Amino acid sequence: MSLKAGIVGLPNVGKSTLFNAITNKKILAANFPFATIEPNVGVVSVPDNRLQKLEEMYKPEKVIPTTFEFTDIAGLVKGASAGEGLGNKFLSHIREVDAICEVVRCFEDENVTHVSGKIDPISDIEVINIELILSDIEQVDNRVAKLGKKIKQGNDKDAIKEYELLLEIKENLLDDKPVRNLNFNEEEKKIIKHFNLLTSKPIIYMANIHEDEIVDYTENENVKKVIDYARNEGAEVIVLSAKIEAELSELDEESKKLFLTDLGIEESGLDKLIKSTYKLLGLATYFTAGPKEVRAWTFIKGMNAKQCAGIIHTDFEKGFIKAEIISYPDLVENGSEKGAKEAGKLRLEGKDYIMQDGDVCHFRFNV
């Protein structure tokens, strides 16, 4: 299942440095605007301690974590929606992602230029949000114009409903309210999804701070401002230091743990980001396990057993018979698959069973 988040921000806020750390790719991270032009794409493993326990239990030949895709999108500037900087090209790249991770500069450093000449995280956030809103208004206007002609030609109830919904959205956009913060019923949500509006995408703010502040980041006034802003729109803030994350990305797991302990923190900012983005998109994980392979699979919460079988292979979905399922806690509690079966914890579920995070599955199918 291919879902991805786009990393956005003004130029020189630490986007590319963070992307390097996320994917351990060595892309250009330079101290000037537009160092990133074409989006860089990287696939990362989703941290999951359950895999380690499953490996201990099954002793498989290989272990495969589930993955998530991040795209590093070039720095936006004021006027992007009107083509400033590399404007519309960047906005089209944002349109292709499922969630937005916005990097906000909260550190002072006279050696790293700021595109507007001063450190003001709320202004930075608003510059980007306004450009996304302006882009959405343009798209809404284009669609409204087409629907208006269609409505004049006849009494198309679906067109009228869509037309009225778009006008409501535009009114809120003009009031600087992103679509993701508006309340719609399920039918309206289905209609809106087809518009693929930029401000409808869920967002996480990443406050990039100086490495010396990572333990006491709550003392950083710029971070406080970002947290307050995000709270008002129900968004999450991940506080991290791009420099520290870059150093961590060069270490093996054991050294990484020691480094984090020395810093006085339990988890890297990037691990938090990956987990939070996963949660933001309503994703969960099920496992397949055996002597050949232990593997994690991503699914969208609410998917049934038959649909989840199709994630592995379309034949699994077409010929679905039953799913043998043991929940991860039951498996661990009973010490083995055999022990879980003897304790009556193995369930046979049909195609309509709603999969749960942590289900350990074996799919029966016939094609």
Side-chain angles (χ1 to χ4, degrees):
M1 177 166 291
S2 179
L3 291 167
K4 60 185 175 181
I7 301 176
V8 305
L10 296 182
N12 299 341
V13 297
K15 281 188 316 85
S16 293
T17 301
L18 282 168
F19 183 82
N20 282 340
I22 288 172
T23 63
N24 210 16
K25 285 188 175 183
K26 301 300 179 284
I27 60 172
L28 178 61
N31 183 24
F32 55 87
F34 311 122
T36 306
I37 298 176
E38 292 301 326
N40 298 286
V41 179
V43 178
V44 297
S45 298
V46 177
D48 196 325
N49 294 330
R50 293 174 296 186
L51 277 175
Q52 185 177 347
K53 186 64 178 179
L54 290 173
E55 183 178 12
E56 293 172 4
M57 296 175 73
Y58 285 89
K59 297 180 172 51
E61 294 176 12
K62 57 183 177 180
V63 176
I64 304 175
T66 191
T67 59
F68 195 82
E69 190 173 294
F70 280 94
T71 301
D72 178 31
I73 298 170
L76 285 166
V77 293
K78 188 174 183 179
S81 59
E84 291 295 324
L86 294 170
N88 291 325
K89 190 174 184 181
F90 297 161
L91 292 170
S92 69
H93 293 153
I94 297 173
R95 207 173 298 284
E96 294 171 4
V97 303
D98 302 290
I100 297 172
C101 299
E102 185 172 330
V103 183
V104 186
R105 179 170 170 176
C106 293
F107 65 89
E108 302 280 350
D109 189 337
E110 61 184 19
N111 296 316
V112 180
T113 60
H114 190 286
V115 70
S116 64
K118 62 178 180 178
I119 307 302
D120 186 343
I122 303 307
S123 174
D124 291 358
I125 289 172
E126 290 178 344
V127 163
I128 289 179
N129 287 353
I130 287 171
E131 293 307 320
L132 300 185
I133 284 173
L134 290 173
S135 178
D136 280 353
I137 290 173
E138 182 181 4
Q139 189 174 350
V140 167
D141 282 342
N142 291 338
R143 182 60 181 162
V144 164
K146 291 179 182 177
L147 286 170
K149 293 177 183 178
K150 189 175 182 179
I151 290 170
K152 285 180 181 179
Q153 294 171 356
N155 187 25
D156 188 326
K157 292 183 179 179
D158 289 338
I160 293 172
K161 184 176 291 186
E162 184 178 335
Y163 182 86
E164 292 174 346
L165 183 58
L166 284 167
L167 290 181
E168 180 186 347
I169 288 171
K170 182 178 178 179
E171 184 179 346
N172 281 282
L173 289 172
L174 289 171
D175 199 27
D176 292 337
K177 294 177 182 177
V179 176
R180 63 178 168 269
N181 290 346
L182 307 180
N183 293 318
F184 299 104
N185 61 39
E186 289 306 312
E187 184 183 358
E188 290 170 335
K189 287 177 182 178
K190 287 180 182 178
I191 297 172
I192 293 167
K193 189 174 182 180
H194 293 296
F195 304 152
N196 197 20
L197 297 172
L198 299 178
T199 64
S200 69
K201 299 180 185 296
I203 193 166
I204 290 177
Y205 294 104
M206 291 186 285
N208 186 14
I209 62 174
H210 195 276
E211 63 269 24
D212 293 339
E213 299 178 307
I214 196 65
V215 175
D216 300 317
Y217 67 80
T218 53
E219 301 300 315
N220 184 309
E221 292 301 319
N222 288 321
V223 170
K224 291 179 184 177
K225 292 175 183 177
V226 175
I227 290 173
D228 287 342
Y229 184 95
R231 186 183 294 119
N232 288 333
E233 63 171 44
E236 186 175 356
V237 177
I238 303 294
V239 181
L240 43 67
S241 163
K243 187 173 181 181
I244 288 175
E245 301 302 329
E247 291 176 15
L248 285 168
S249 71
E250 301 289 341
L251 304 175
D252 58 38
E253 282 304 309
E254 194 59 37
S255 299
K256 180 179 172 181
K257 289 177 183 177
L258 290 172
F259 188 19
L260 289 172
T261 300
D262 288 343
L263 289 171
I265 54 179
E266 294 181 2
E267 189 175 24
S268 76
L270 294 182
D271 281 354
K272 290 179 183 177
L273 173 63
I274 294 166
K275 289 178 180 178
S276 294
T277 308
Y278 202 71
K279 181 181 177 182
L280 185 69
L281 288 172
L283 304 179
T285 303
Y286 76 82
F287 303 96
T288 51
K292 290 282 187 183
E293 176 185 282
V294 164
R295 182 164 183 166
W297 302 86
T298 298
F299 69 98
I300 298 172
K301 291 178 181 177
M303 289 179 70
N304 62 38
K306 185 177 179 181
Q307 292 169 324
C308 286
I311 294 171
I312 299 176
H313 197 285
T314 54
D315 284 350
F316 281 36
E317 184 171 7
K318 289 176 184 176
F320 181 91
I321 300 173
K322 290 285 184 180
E324 297 178 8
I325 294 176
I326 304 172
S327 71
Y328 175 80
D330 286 341
L331 183 62
V332 172
E333 183 180 342
N334 289 281
S336 68
E337 190 174 297
K338 181 182 178 183
K341 288 178 180 178
E342 290 174 348
K345 298 300 182 180
L346 171 68
R347 310 189 311 274
L348 274 181
E349 300 287 1
K351 63 181 181 180
D352 294 327
Y353 166 73
I354 302 301
M355 292 284 285
Q356 301 298 310
D357 183 65
D359 280 348
V360 183
C361 311
H362 173 71
F363 294 106
R364 296 182 185 177
F365 72 102
N366 182 38
V367 290

